[in-house]
């Protein structure tokens, strides 16, 4: 009897332990399933990088291809004919205005000047004789000792002699001017090219007249072409190229890129724009004046030109990578105060470097997502961190 009771008690204990183990297993399974469902219902927030929207002045440029041109480019030509005797300069050097550059054989022109001077002296002698004759005839005519015809002839001879003097003086002046042309002088100051002819060459209007060229490049012009669309865009911004305006505190200036890719340190101001469009190209010419004190810019050189076309004051611009463009429009993700993202459609403006101007849709102080956009949907919760470097807001150069 006692043995049966012990056996029954043992069975009850084993059964109770089994039930406890089964209950623990069921409870653990329920806990794990519940945790899994809870994880699905409340996922971890996505981490994104954000940037604060700040207003700033945006400088908008246009890129063009330009050509450097000297402010003054003068051809030195022979104005009289003759053999070139001397060259009095070193090619490629700086010459001053009025400096003698070439000597043309002056022999024949000296002879013509001497002949004209001799004829003038002869005419003056005849005029003096005619003056003395007239002085003698007048008192005789007053005493009726000379006829009226004698007086008229004397006066006519005197007047003719004075006219001959005037003609000879003009001939002498012309001969001396022509003689002066045998010394070819620099019409302006600047750098002179290599000679166009050799010493001993017959030069002049009927021969080779171009002897050299002189370029004044202390100040140069940068010439480039713009399209009619560029003109309309500038007018829409109230900018008339080639004219200054009191309504703005900036002028359309240009910078050029040198052959080594560096930016020329001086800026030039647009001082002229062609008033008409070339019908063959659909473009019009624009010119800017630029200082060139070190003669770094060479006339004839092709260069890249960057023209300041507009300044947007207190504009909103964002990185292009923060903008998503689809068929329905362009939008950005804006992070609200509760870390909920909003898909915000915006109106875009011009592109500046790697940024883009936002005309409408964003306000200063808002926070936009710049990295991690592909993981986002409207209304999601996010964990945000500020970008290491803020959006580049000032692109002034």
């Amino acid at each position: 009897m006692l043995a049966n009771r012990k056996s029954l008690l043992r069975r009850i204990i084993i059964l109770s332990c089994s039930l406890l183990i089964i209950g623990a297993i069921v409870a653990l399974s329920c806990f794990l399933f519940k945790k899994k469902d809870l994880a699905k219902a409340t996922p971890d927030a996505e981490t994104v990088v954000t940037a604060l929207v700040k207003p700033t002045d945006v400088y908008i440029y246009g890129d063009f291809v330009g050509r450097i041109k000297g402010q003054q480019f003068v051809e030195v030509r022979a104005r009289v004919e003759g053999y070139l005797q001397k060259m009095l300069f070193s090619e490629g050097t700086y010459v001053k205005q009025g400096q003698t550059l070439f000597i043309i054989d002056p022999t024949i022109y000296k002879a013509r000047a001497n002949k004209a001077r001799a004829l003038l002296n002869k005419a003056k002698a005849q005029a003096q004789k005619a003056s003395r004759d007239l002085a003698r005839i007048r008192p005789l005519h007053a005493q009726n000792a000379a006829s009226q015809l004698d007086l008229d002839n004397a006066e006519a001879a005197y007047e003719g002699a004075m006219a001959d003097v005037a003609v000879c003086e003009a001939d002498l002046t012309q001969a001396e001017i022509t003689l002066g042309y045998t010394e070819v002088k620099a019409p302006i100051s600047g750098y002179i090219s290599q000679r166009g002819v050799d010493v001993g060459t017959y030069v002049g209007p009927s021969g080779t007249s171009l002897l050299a060229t002189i370029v004044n490049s202390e100040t140069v012009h940068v010439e480039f072409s713009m399209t009619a669309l560029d003109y309309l865009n500038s007018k829409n911004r109230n900018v008339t190229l080639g004219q200054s305006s009191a309504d703005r505190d900036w002028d359309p200036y240009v910078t050029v890129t040198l052959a080594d890719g560096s930016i020329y340190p001086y800026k030039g101001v647009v001082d002229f724009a062609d008033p008409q469009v070339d019908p063959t190209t659909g473009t019009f010419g624009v010119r800017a004046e630029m200082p060139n004190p070190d003669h770094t810019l060479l006339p004839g050189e092709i260069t890249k030109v960057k023209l300041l076309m507009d300044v947007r004051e207190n504009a909103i611009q964002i990185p292009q990578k923060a903008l998503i463009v689809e068929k329905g429009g362009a939008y950005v993700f804006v992070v609200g105060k509760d870390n909920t993202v909003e898909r915000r459609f915006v109106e875009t403006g011009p592109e500046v470097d790697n940024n883009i101007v936002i005309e409408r849709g964003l306000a200063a102080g808002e926070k936009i997502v710049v990295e991690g956009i592909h993981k986002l949907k409207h209304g999601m919760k996010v964990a945000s961190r500020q970008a290491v470097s803020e959006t580049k807001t000032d692109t002034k150069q």
Side-chain angles (χ1 to χ4, degrees):
M1 178 69 77
L2 183 59
N4 290 335
R5 286 181 179 179
K6 289 182 178 180
S7 176
L8 179 61
L9 181 61
R10 188 180 299 111
R11 290 177 181 177
I12 292 172
I13 293 173
I14 293 173
L15 180 61
S16 299
C17 292
S18 300
L19 292 174
L20 288 174
I21 293 173
I22 293 172
I25 293 173
V26 171
L28 180 61
S29 300
C30 291
F31 174 76
L32 292 176
F33 279 113
K34 185 176 180 180
K35 185 177 180 181
K36 184 176 181 181
D37 293 339
L38 186 62
K40 290 182 179 179
T42 57
D44 292 336
E46 295 287 354
T47 300
V48 295
V49 179
T50 62
L52 194 64
V53 176
K54 295 181 180 179
T56 186
D57 293 345
V58 179
Y59 292 76
I60 300 174
Y61 296 87
D63 295 316
F64 307 93
V65 177
R67 180 186 295 273
I68 306 299
K69 185 177 180 181
Q71 188 180 35
Q72 287 182 296
F73 180 87
V74 178
E75 294 179 341
V76 180
R77 293 183 177 272
R79 303 177 69 174
V80 295
E81 295 184 353
Y83 289 98
L84 195 65
Q85 281 190 339
K86 296 180 181 179
M87 184 183 75
L88 305 177
F89 66 93
S90 298
E91 296 167 310
T93 60
Y94 186 85
V95 296
K96 295 183 178 180
Q97 184 177 9
Q99 177 180 336
T100 301
L101 305 177
F102 298 94
I103 299 293
I104 299 173
D105 185 6
T107 304
I108 187 173
Y109 300 103
K110 286 182 178 179
R112 290 175 182 175
N114 291 334
K115 180 180 178 181
R117 189 175 295 106
L119 291 176
L120 175 61
N121 292 334
K122 179 179 178 181
K124 286 181 177 180
Q126 291 176 346
Q128 290 176 356
K129 179 180 181 301
S131 177
R132 291 193 295 268
D133 291 342
L134 180 60
R136 286 193 297 267
I137 291 295
R138 280 176 176 167
L140 294 175
H141 177 266
Q143 298 174 4
N144 292 325
S147 66
Q148 182 66 38
L149 179 61
D150 293 335
L151 178 61
D152 292 343
N153 289 337
E155 289 179 344
Y158 174 73
E159 292 176 355
M162 293 304 296
D164 289 340
V165 170
V167 170
C168 290
E169 286 178 342
D171 290 341
L172 177 60
T173 300
Q174 184 177 11
E176 289 177 341
I177 291 175
T178 305
L179 175 61
Y181 289 158
T182 59
E183 292 186 7
V184 182
K185 300 180 181 295
I188 63 170
S189 299
Y191 285 88
I192 192 166
S193 68
Q194 64 181 3
R195 65 184 184 276
V197 294
D198 293 327
V199 174
T201 304
Y202 188 82
V203 298
S206 63
T208 302
S209 63
L210 181 59
L211 305 181
T213 56
I214 299 177
V215 179
N216 180 3
S217 57
E218 297 291 336
T219 300
V220 297
H221 287 147
V222 183
E223 298 180 343
F224 55 97
S225 296
M226 299 178 64
T227 64
L229 179 59
D230 294 326
Y231 176 79
L232 290 177
N233 289 337
S234 65
K235 294 296 289 184
N236 292 336
R237 301 181 183 116
N238 296 320
V239 176
T240 301
L241 294 173
Q243 300 180 15
S244 59
S245 174
D247 297 334
R248 62 175 187 268
D249 57 359
W250 60 275
D251 289 318
Y253 65 80
V254 301
T255 58
V256 300
T257 302
L258 300 178
D260 60 358
S262 62
I263 302 299
Y264 186 62
Y266 298 97
K267 294 182 175 65
V269 178
V270 174
D271 63 349
F272 170 77
D274 201 319
Q276 62 181 0
V277 174
D278 186 347
T280 59
T281 61
T283 62
F284 65 98
V286 180
R287 184 187 69 195
E289 187 176 285
M290 180 168 290
N292 190 31
D294 301 326
H295 304 283
T296 303
L297 301 178
L298 299 177
E301 181 181 1
I302 302 296
T303 183
K304 294 180 181 178
V305 179
K306 179 172 284 190
L307 168 65
L308 177 62
M309 303 183 69
D310 190 16
V311 177
R312 299 284 186 91
E313 297 180 351
N314 295 321
I316 299 296
Q317 68 171 346
I318 64 173
Q320 290 189 8
K321 63 182 180 179
L323 185 71
I324 300 175
V325 180
E326 295 181 350
K327 291 182 179 179
Y331 62 88
V332 296
F333 282 105
V334 180
V335 180
K337 294 181 179 180
D338 57 351
N339 286 332
T340 301
V341 294
E342 172 195 354
R343 185 170 63 176
R344 179 87 59 80
F345 283 90
V346 294
E347 181 180 338
T348 60
E351 297 180 4
V352 182
D353 295 331
N354 294 322
N355 300 325
I356 188 165
V357 175
I358 302 300
E359 304 284 5
R360 294 179 182 85
L362 282 179
E366 291 188 304
K367 193 161 54 174
I368 61 172
V369 179
V370 295
E371 292 183 20
I373 299 174
H374 63 281
K375 302 179 291 185
L376 301 181
K377 292 182 180 180
H378 180 77
M380 287 182 59
K381 294 282 187 179
V382 295
S384 63
R385 60 182 178 85
Q386 196 75 8
V388 176
S389 58
E390 291 289 341
T391 302
K392 183 181 179 182
T393 56
D394 188 358
T395 57
K396 182 178 180 180
Q397 295 188 7

